[in-house]
Amino acid sequence: PLVLKEPNYRIEMSSMADSSIDIICRVWVKTSTYWDAYYDIMNQVKKAFDKENIEIPFNQLDVHIVK
């Protein structure tokens, strides 16, 4: 409800990284509600991913010690 109707939002793939596809969501909100909208959208995305069993990959670093 904090997202303004105009201009319209945009959801696009922004890059293909080593172990992820980065997606951006650009919406317009009032300056005074920016952070509320930001965290609300982040929570909604996480809940939607969980519902669809979409996992967020975490970076992994393997260290091999050679004597």
Side-chain angles (χ1 to χ4, degrees), residues 36-55:
D36 291 332
Y38 176 87
Y39 289 117
D40 184 50
I41 291 169
M42 295 293 279
N43 285 321
Q44 288 185 47
V45 168
K46 177 67 169 106
K47 287 177 183 177
F49 281 11
D50 289 347
K51 182 179 177 184
E52 298 298 325
N53 295 316
I54 298 172
E55 296 181 3

Side-chain angles (χ1 to χ4, degrees), residues 10-29:
R10 294 178 68 174
I11 299 174
E12 300 175 355
M13 183 175 65
S14 63
S15 65
M16 295 178 74
D18 290 338
S19 61
S20 69
I21 296 174
D22 299 338
I23 299 170
I24 58 169
C25 174
R26 294 203 174 161
V27 300
W28 291 91
V29 298

